[in-house]
Amino acid sequence: MDSSERSPSPAVARTLTVLETLVNSDEELTLTALAKKANIPLATCASIVYTLEQRDYASRRVVGRSHFWRPTLRLYGLATQLIRKVDLSSVANRELREVADRLGMPVHIGVLTGTSIVYVAKAALPGFIQFDTYPGKVAHYNLTALGKAIAAYLPEDELGPLLGHLEQGYGPKAGPVNEETFRAELARVHKQGYAFEDQEEQADISCLAAPFFAAGGHVAGAVGVTSFSRDLTREKRKQAQTALMQLAATISERLGA
């Protein structure tokens, strides 16, 4: 039987929903609140969360008769192991460092995981000021240049489901979020070969990124730079575009594209 014909497991789907709900919540959740947010029956949610506790993926804080649940860092440990195995930085480590030094900006590699971009490598610059773009960082895909660069080259069957999960940015230049405008932006990214994000995710920060591809031509990730918006002048932006597209081409070649 082809894998696409197999029925998904409702139990696994509910477990993942509970875990994702815990991770996405900004506060600890009671069992009732967790079940409501996850849209899962209370008894089922209880069985799942107690199992997660036994496996050390969730913990609880007891206050009187109330139990407050939160995720643990065991997930981070798994992600760290995965990042080590992928280790895309080793594909073009020297070139990553050279671009960072030449542009005077930190350079990152990001991959798409679900609706999030995970930063898997970084060539940082020495100095007191360091941008909050460390390996392991997770950001919503539509709020980053890395995410836009990847999404612009996804096939429709992969892009379509993502479009139902667009998030509003917190930066001063974050515009209205809807599928029509985002598709139009992705079309521009696809045409020009790079993506630009200017103060959408947060104030005063701009990012630029270019996609790279694996064997078979499927987009595998993106490489990008982060800068203060005031420093990313027209000339500097042009230099970054050229450098990133060349670096992305190098990574693509080494991945077999």
Side-chain angles (χ1 to χ4, degrees), residues 13-79:
R14 285 175 170 177
T15 300
L16 292 175
T17 297
V18 168
L19 196 52
E20 290 169 352
T21 302
L22 283 171
V23 171
N24 290 330
S25 177
D26 292 328
E27 57 187 5
E28 298 172 323
L29 297 172
T30 64
L31 184 59
T32 301
L34 177 59
K36 184 176 180 180
K37 274 196 168 189
N39 195 27
I40 290 175
L42 184 61
T44 302
C45 188
S47 296
I48 291 172
V49 80
Y50 280 109
T51 301
L52 291 175
E53 181 186 36
Q54 291 174 3
R55 297 292 296 270
D56 198 30
Y57 287 100
S59 64
R60 55 178 157 154
R61 181 171 61 90
V62 181
V63 180
R65 300 181 64 181
S66 298
H67 293 198
F68 295 87
W69 295 90
R70 64 172 184 264
T72 69
L73 287 176
R74 182 162 187 192
L75 278 174
Y76 180 79
L78 287 179

Side-chain angles (χ1 to χ4, degrees), residues 106-122:
V107 182
H108 319 89
I109 291 179
V111 296
L112 180 68
T113 302
T115 59
S116 299
I117 288 296
V118 179
Y119 290 69
V120 298
K122 177 179 181 178

Side-chain angles (χ1 to χ4, degrees), residues 82-250:
L82 178 60
I83 288 171
R84 288 198 192 104
K85 290 178 180 178
V86 175
D87 195 18
L88 282 170
S89 63
S90 65
V91 176
N93 186 53
R94 178 176 58 82
E95 290 84 354
L96 209 68
R97 177 79 268 159
E98 288 176 352
V99 171
D101 291 340
R102 191 190 326 151
L103 295 177
M105 304 175 189
V107 182
H108 319 89
I109 291 179
V111 296
L112 180 68
T113 302
T115 59
S116 299
I117 288 296
V118 179
Y119 290 69
V120 298
K122 177 179 181 178
L125 297 172
F128 177 72
I129 297 176
Q130 294 293 329
F131 292 99
D132 186 26
T133 51
Y134 50 88
K137 178 186 177 180
V138 177
H140 204 74
Y141 83 101
N142 71 289
L143 298 179
T144 66
L146 291 169
K148 293 175 183 179
I150 296 171
Y153 290 86
L154 288 175
E156 181 59 35
D157 63 334
E158 295 182 33
L159 175 63
L162 291 178
L163 296 177
H165 300 278
L166 298 172
E167 284 202 1
Q168 180 66 46
Y170 296 100
K173 292 189 178 181
V177 179
N178 59 68
E179 180 176 336
E180 183 180 359
T181 57
F182 191 63
R183 278 189 180 276
E185 183 174 7
L186 293 185
R188 291 192 295 272
V189 172
H190 192 281
K191 182 177 181 180
Q192 62 195 16
Y194 66 88
F196 181 59
E197 180 267 311
D198 182 29
Q199 301 188 73
E200 295 174 44
E201 186 180 16
Q202 58 184 3
D204 302 322
I205 304 297
S206 295
C207 305
L208 196 145
F212 56 82
F213 304 85
H218 190 277
V219 63
V223 59
V225 295
T226 299
S227 172
F228 287 114
S229 299
R230 64 177 181 269
D231 296 332
L232 203 57
T233 61
R234 184 173 183 177
E235 183 58 31
K236 197 71 173 179
R237 179 174 165 180
K238 186 176 180 180
Q239 293 174 9
Q241 292 169 12
T242 301
L244 288 175
M245 292 175 74
Q246 290 174 346
L247 179 55
T250 297

